[in-house]
Amino acid sequence: MNMIDVRVAAVEQVTPLIKHFKFVKEDGSQLPPFSGGSHIVVAMDAEGRTYRNPYSLMGSPTDTDAYHISVRRQENSRGGSAYMHENVRVGMTLKITHPVNLFTLAKMAHKHVLIAGGIGITPFMSQIEDLNRIGADYELHYAFRSYKQAAFVEELQKACGNKLHCHSDSDGHRLDMEALLRSQPLGTHVYVCGPSPMVVAVLETAKNLGWPDSNVHNEQFLAPPVGETFKVQLAQSNIEVQVPAEMSMLEAIEAAGVQADYLCRGGVCGRCELSVLECDGGLEHNDHFLTESEKASCSKIMPCVSRTKGKRLVLDL
Amino acid sequence: MALNFKQETFRDDYTYKNSEEAIKRFPFPFPEDQYMYSVNIEPHTKGKPGSVYEFPFDVDEHYVAECKDRAITLEQDAGRYQALPHMMDAQWDFLELTMESLANDYPEHFTLTKNGSSWTWENRPLGIHDTFTFGDSSTLPREPLDYMGRQVQGDFVLLDQRDETLYADAGMVTCQADWSLAFNVGMSWREWHGPVPRATELGVMDRALKFLLNLQLANPVRRLNWTMTVNPRLDTSPENYPYWGGDRNKVNAENVSDLIHLRVELQSLFRLPRSNAIVFSIRCYLISLKDIATYPRWAKRLYRVQKTMHPDLIEYKGMTKFHPLVVEWLSQFEDGADLGIGTQPE
Amino acid sequence: MERGYWIKSKPVYTSLVWHEKATSHLVLAAGIGGMAALKLFQQMHPAQPVTVLYAKYAQMEVDYSATLKKIVPDNLHVFKFEEDLLTELKSIMPHMRMGLRIYVAGSEGFIWDVAKVVKPFGVENDHIMKELTDTLARSVYCVHCKAITRNVTTNIVQCCGCERMLFVRDHFSRNLGAYMGLMVDAESPGELPAIEEIYP
């Protein structure tokens, strides 16, 4: 994969749990432009292992001087977000992928309803730049626990004006999903990014109100869950790889020196799909890509987020 | 390498001709003795100096004449250019990609000067010199795709990505192998590949789609496709089928090697940054059977491939009428030699 | 040109079924399509608001308006011709909200005329439920002169624009609401295959 070398130009503590990082190109040249909703994968070399985590780009897509990401420190971090918070400092160099967009704006939409929960605000910060530029009709609903924990409210007010609607739990201003989605004009698309219960609530509400699936968009990167230790036999490379509890299968395969395809590393894009040749105890599918019947067939797996419940797996790699 | 742009025609008197160098660099598409319809996608990385793969967009000796032929086709039928309104960002992406590539790879012919969003574009072979504001269509003589599409060899289709498929929502198509942009515009991947025989049943198109949905910035891909055409005619469109269809009756054993041209499409696909759209570039290269036979290895290879072609594919590619004559003419080169794998001329 | 391949751009039509989760329903029917609308109400009378627009004089002059009046509780609007129905459709669309589901029954020409009217209001044709009734007649787009010849029932038809004889291919454009027509005797002028009625 074609990586870009960047230097950390600024780090800012935005809230007690959120840090904002600014990257510029190491050689001083311009970064590629991108489309609102894109993410990059940041590679972090930490004590002999490499974390690769996806983060949404939140700056202006037309600003090619620098990229901006925000990282929320996860409570049960496997190491990636903790590494970003503790080890990444101004002046350091990192490798990032080119931007990838799995959360695009629907270009033919008549209206856009954006719903963010907490750190899920980040992909919308680049999208609103695109929406403002093309003069689109939109509203942004930003839900959070309290104003103290909410990042970027001032920036958003400046960018969105009265199109921004804040919903603070602590003030009792909860977002009424049903009321919001019931009254929208034809041709509206809804987008949600946030904690899993919120995403599920939006998807369910839209479905129950008769919205077509193609008008409903969500981004839900999954952090690879911690699981049991198991062994993977790679049939083509003819090697066996031990997958520790806190490492994803993809990370373990890479650590063993085997090149595997990937894009989002969050169970969304389908790029890392592998064929399962043998499996002794059932698969633990955690991705959003495979269909239910594919999952049931036990013949394919997304190594970026999924694991086996058994002790040993044989993959066609 | 300095290019000598030729004065030649792709219609009426058909004065198109490949120079010796152009024959030698021709993208011959058959690495093996048998042809299989497949996705055959590979990274569109920099090839050997002088080859058609040296740069993302190849400019060759036919550049000026091809642009002129395209202008004639567009003059006669404005419908060869189509762009749905939501594709404007993709149009600017296309303009940026092609201008930067040409200026970077052929600095003696093209220059792009940027001063913030004020850009100046010089195309010396075509005598074009314009200053415009990037992102503001009113400052260009035409829409961005219409403007630059006329200045790069090949056809272009801009694909919008949504609902887990790709839609052909804009394009400039004047040298196509018999498909109509005006009819296909707005179609989804599966709809516009509807007429491809056999391949769809083999799932080839579904696999290709899955691959392209994940196409990444800075990682373009390419594949070759081919057919055969009577005369070196770029515009073998269904629109003008009444004017060229009859040429298929004019082929005989005496003229087959002059009239029949192998038509190779170098198809490349690039992810576009601002729009997340994909540009599908279809560059057409034409060569007569006689010129192919300059290299006996190619002639033998072509003979073996054609002899073993499935009749459905011969029909699909519109070659049924003259195909036996092609095989017969090529048979004189067959000597049973093992050609190995590869597309090289010698 | 290729003949006889199974071309996958052809639309697939189904029988109309209520979309349970919709917040409102809009049923559009013409001619024999009135029967498809009646069948919908045979399934059930939905709890959500329903509007029915019916044009009685379609291709085949079969009039279901009397029965529809008995069955459809309210919001039934009957028109003489399809064009009048389409005009009314255009005027009510701006009042519709997300959650609306659209059902169409009639000839292929009628179905795609409806799709064309609602598209500017943000309704994609994938979200319209379509039942083909009445006739199999096709609209044919002449790839040479761009004219559309309507109500074509034969495999080969003379173009209403350039008068060329066109072979009616199975390749369908949802944008144009028409099949592709390609000159049938370009390679051998005047030699026409037998003209047969295959889309009665």
Side-chain angles (χ1 to χ4, degrees):
Chain A
M1 182 167 286
N2 252 339
M3 302 288 277
I4 305 174
D5 292 307
V6 293
R7 190 169 52 76
V8 180
V11 182
E12 184 198 353
Q13 189 85 42
V14 184
T15 74
L17 286 176
I18 297 172
K19 271 190 173 179
H20 168 196
F21 299 85
K22 178 181 174 185
F23 300 146
V24 295
K25 225 164 150 193
E26 202 183 9
D27 63 9
S29 62
Q30 299 288 299
L31 287 155
F34 59 96
S35 49
S38 295
H39 73 267
I40 53 170
V41 174
V42 180
M44 296 160 252
D45 285 315
E47 292 153 23
R49 66 174 286 190
T50 306
Y51 298 107
R52 288 189 178 83
N53 286 12
Y55 295 108
S56 295
L57 288 172
M58 45 176 272
S60 164
T62 53
D63 174 11
T64 55
D65 293 335
Y67 281 170
H68 300 263
I69 63 166
S70 281
V71 179
R72 182 181 195 276
R73 192 184 174 121
Q74 300 299 329
E75 285 93 20
N76 302 311
S77 170
R78 293 157 47 258
S81 70
Y83 181 87
M84 287 298 291
H85 271 258
E86 286 162 22
N87 300 70
V88 175
R89 295 178 208 297
V90 173
M92 263 176 79
T93 57
L94 290 168
K95 279 188 191 304
I96 63 170
T97 60
H98 281 261
V100 172
N101 202 339
L102 302 173
F103 194 47
T104 50
L105 289 165
K107 295 190 189 75
M108 286 149 90
H110 289 214
K111 182 183 172 183
H112 309 261
V113 174
L114 318 175
I115 304 175
I119 192 67
I121 190 67
T122 53
F124 295 122
M125 296 191 69
S126 58
Q127 288 189 340
I128 55 174
E129 297 271 350
D130 275 348
L131 293 170
N132 284 336
R133 181 173 54 83
I134 60 175
D137 183 9
Y138 73 94
E139 48 190 85
L140 170 61
H141 295 265
Y142 184 14
F144 42 76
R145 287 198 192 124
S146 69
Y147 274 92
K148 205 179 120 208
Q149 289 177 39
F152 313 115
V153 172
E154 265 178 46
E155 285 98 315
L156 289 166
Q157 271 162 347
K158 210 184 272 174
C160 310
N162 60 8
K163 296 190 174 88
L164 174 69
H165 306 267
C166 288
H167 306 269
S168 165
D169 275 4
S170 61
D171 295 358
H173 287 122
R174 293 200 65 134
L175 174 57
D176 184 347
M177 234 57 108
E178 153 104 32
L180 176 65
L181 297 186
R182 188 175 275 285
S183 60
Q184 296 300 335
L186 277 181
T188 302
H189 283 243
V190 63
Y191 309 76
V192 57
C193 182
S196 186
M198 175 187 230
V199 173
V200 171
V202 170
L203 301 186
E204 295 268 297
T205 308
K207 202 175 207 59
N208 286 329
L209 291 173
W211 285 51
D213 289 345
S214 57
N215 289 47
V216 184
H217 312 267
N218 73 92
E219 177 148 87
Q220 207 181 358
F221 285 131
L222 299 163
V226 172
E228 299 293 319
T229 304
F230 61 95
K231 285 191 175 119
V232 186
Q233 177 80 33
L234 303 180
Q236 289 176 35
S237 328
N238 197 25
I239 58 166
E240 194 171 73
V241 178
Q242 176 92 11
V243 184
E246 75 295 344
M247 223 188 218
S248 76
M249 204 184 339
L250 180 60
E251 287 168 338
I253 291 170
E254 287 168 341
V258 178
Q259 280 272 341
D261 261 347
Y262 71 86
L263 254 190
C264 77
R265 303 183 79 92
V268 182
C269 75
R271 182 63 171 260
C272 68
E273 178 184 301
L274 291 174
S275 292
V276 176
L277 302 175
E278 281 174 47
C279 152
D280 68 358
L283 301 175
E284 198 181 302
H285 291 288
N286 294 310
D287 63 277
H288 292 305
F289 181 79
L290 294 174
T291 61
E292 286 313 312
S293 65
E294 282 173 324
K295 285 180 179 174
S297 77
C298 274
S299 60
K300 289 173 179 172
I301 194 164
M302 300 295 159
C304 64
V305 289
S306 299
R307 311 177 71 87
T308 174
K309 293 172 195 153
K311 292 276 167 239
R312 188 169 167 273
L313 200 58
V314 183
L315 298 178
D316 189 14
L317 178 69
Chain B
M1 184 187 71
L3 285 164
N4 282 320
F5 298 116
K6 298 169 81 172
Q7 296 278 343
E8 58 192 353
T9 55
F10 298 85
R11 57 183 79 214
D12 306 324
D13 57 349
Y14 295 109
T15 60
Y16 170 89
K17 192 101 183 64
N18 283 300
S19 67
E20 270 176 46
E21 301 79 59
I23 295 172
K24 193 161 188 179
R25 76 199 290 276
F26 191 84
F28 189 76
F30 305 110
E32 294 175 84
D33 288 347
Q34 284 231 334
Y35 174 70
M36 276 289 291
Y37 193 96
S38 65
V39 179
N40 63 314
I41 295 177
E42 59 176 351
H44 189 32
T45 47
K46 199 172 172 68
K48 279 188 214 133
S51 77
V52 299
Y53 306 122
E54 185 177 5
F55 301 119
F57 297 93
D58 180 41
V59 173
D60 66 11
E61 62 186 17
H62 307 298
Y63 174 77
V64 173
E66 277 191 39
C67 291
K68 200 175 279 179
D69 190 72
R70 155 163 289 170
I72 297 169
T73 303
L74 285 162
E75 177 75 39
Q76 291 170 352
D77 179 4
R80 303 303 185 87
Y81 168 71
Q82 301 276 339
L84 299 181
H86 62 276
M87 297 304 282
M88 195 45 91
D89 275 353
Q91 290 202 35
W92 284 106
D93 274 333
F94 172 81
L95 174 138
E96 179 183 43
L97 174 68
T98 50
M99 280 188 179
E100 287 194 334
S101 296
L102 294 190
N104 190 43
D105 301 333
Y106 302 93
E108 68 276 38
H109 300 302
F110 309 95
T111 307
L112 176 64
T113 317
K114 293 183 188 176
N115 187 358
S117 62
S118 173
W119 292 20
T120 298
W121 171 245
E122 284 173 79
N123 176 337
R124 285 177 284 277
L126 298 184
I128 293 169
H129 188 143
D130 285 312
T131 297
F132 61 95
T133 307
F134 186 84
D136 180 356
S137 285
S138 68
T139 61
L140 270 178
R142 306 169 181 279
E143 290 191 342
L145 172 61
D146 194 3
Y147 181 76
M148 268 320 274
R150 291 167 183 261
Q151 300 182 46
V152 190
Q153 288 165 276
D155 285 340
F156 300 97
V157 185
L158 301 184
L159 312 176
D160 188 33
Q161 182 161 340
R162 60 180 191 273
D163 306 339
E164 279 147 55
T165 189
L166 298 168
Y167 289 86
D169 284 345
M172 176 173 281
V173 174
T174 64
C175 32
Q176 71 270 47
D178 209 4
W179 65 281
S180 166
L181 177 68
F183 188 76
N184 283 20
V185 71
M187 281 191 192
S188 73
W189 176 268
R190 218 159 288 187
E191 287 162 18
W192 96 73
H193 285 106
V196 178
R198 298 173 67 81
T200 45
E201 288 148 53
L202 298 169
V204 168
M205 287 302 156
D206 288 349
R207 283 205 301 278
L209 172 62
K210 214 166 172 179
F211 180 87
L212 292 177
L213 291 174
N214 278 331
L215 185 69
Q216 295 164 73
L217 276 177
N219 290 278
V221 295
R222 66 174 173 241
R223 69 182 284 261
L224 293 178
N225 197 11
W226 67 276
T227 184
M228 285 185 185
T229 300
V230 184
N231 289 320
R233 184 177 174 95
L234 286 174
D235 175 29
T236 49
S237 58
E239 281 89 342
N240 282 338
Y241 176 55
Y243 306 113
W244 59 263
D247 292 346
R248 287 174 177 165
N249 302 320
K250 295 177 188 156
V251 186
N252 59 43
E254 282 68 51
N255 64 18
V256 61
S257 66
D258 288 314
L259 282 192
I260 297 296
H261 286 69
L262 180 63
R263 180 187 193 99
V264 173
E265 290 176 354
L266 167 53
Q267 305 181 343
S268 52
L269 296 115
F270 302 76
R271 173 71 68 191
L272 296 173
R274 294 174 183 80
S275 57
N276 200 45
I278 287 175
V279 55
F280 182 20
S281 152
I282 310 149
R283 170 66 185 278
C284 171
Y285 294 87
L286 292 164
I287 188 169
S288 67
L289 290 187
K290 193 176 266 173
D291 283 350
I292 289 175
T294 326
Y295 293 101
R297 184 174 185 275
W298 278 354
K300 284 178 235 176
R301 176 76 93 207
L302 189 59
Y303 169 70
R304 292 174 196 178
V305 167
Q306 294 305 322
K307 208 181 155 203
T308 54
M309 280 269 292
H310 193 286
D312 278 5
L313 270 172
I314 295 174
E315 175 74 11
Y316 170 66
K317 289 177 184 286
M319 310 190 307
T320 306
K321 272 192 185 152
F322 54 76
H323 194 259
L325 292 167
V326 170
V327 174
E328 177 56 32
W329 188 81
L330 288 168
S331 69
Q332 62 183 299
F333 300 99
E334 176 62 299
D335 60 3
D338 180 359
L339 298 175
I341 303 258
T343 55
Q344 67 277 15
E346 289 167 309
Chain C
M1 295 308 285
E2 75 275 18
R3 309 260 165 84
Y5 293 114
W6 178 38
I7 292 185
K8 296 182 178 173
S9 56
K10 257 200 298 193
V12 175
Y13 304 102
T14 56
S15 296
L16 301 185
V17 184
W18 294 116
H19 192 284
E20 280 180 46
K21 305 284 191 189
T23 47
S24 64
H25 308 271
L26 177 56
V27 181
L28 309 153
I32 297 177
M35 177 57 100
L38 286 168
K39 281 191 202 155
L40 264 178
F41 285 93
Q42 195 67 225
Q43 291 164 24
M44 66 167 186
H45 285 259
Q48 306 87 0
V50 183
T51 306
V52 180
L53 308 188
Y54 178 63
K56 47 187 180 182
Y57 298 135
Q59 218 138 22
M60 288 180 214
E61 302 196 350
V62 182
D63 182 359
Y64 283 101
S65 58
T67 321
L68 278 165
K69 275 175 193 156
K70 284 179 209 149
I71 301 293
V72 180
D74 36 40
N75 276 330
L76 168 69
H77 305 270
V78 176
F79 305 89
K80 255 190 168 171
F81 303 107
E82 290 176 359
E83 301 84 77
D84 305 331
L85 182 154
L86 295 171
T87 308
E88 172 67 7
L89 175 62
K90 204 178 279 179
S91 72
I92 63 172
M93 282 307 287
H95 310 295
M96 301 296 171
R97 316 297 288 176
M98 286 301 286
L100 171 79
R101 288 289 171 151
I102 298 179
Y103 313 79
V104 195
S107 68
E108 196 163 41
F110 175 70
I111 289 172
W112 292 96
D113 282 346
V114 166
K116 203 172 178 179
V117 169
V118 301
K119 192 169 177 167
F121 299 96
V123 180
E124 295 296 318
N125 81 67
D126 286 357
H127 305 143
I128 303 171
M129 198 174 275
K130 314 174 192 81
E131 181 166 341
L132 183 61
T133 62
D134 218 341
T135 162
L136 298 179
R138 294 178 162 192
S139 290
V140 177
Y141 167 86
C142 173
V143 75
H144 314 299
C145 79
K146 301 180 169 61
I148 292 182
T149 307
R150 293 182 66 112
N151 304 323
V152 176
T153 59
T154 47
N155 57 336
I156 291 161
V157 68
Q158 183 159 40
C159 174
C160 65
C162 64
E163 299 184 349
R164 289 186 176 98
M165 297 304 285
L166 305 175
F167 173 71
V168 182
R169 291 183 59 197
D170 268 349
H171 199 19
F172 184 81
S173 161
R174 283 153 181 74
N175 242 18
L176 299 164
Y179 293 82
M180 186 190 275
L182 187 79
M183 187 178 181
V184 69
D185 57 343
E187 295 187 28
S188 35
E191 275 179 42
L192 294 180
I195 300 179
E196 294 164 311
E197 174 168 278
I198 48 175
Y199 312 114

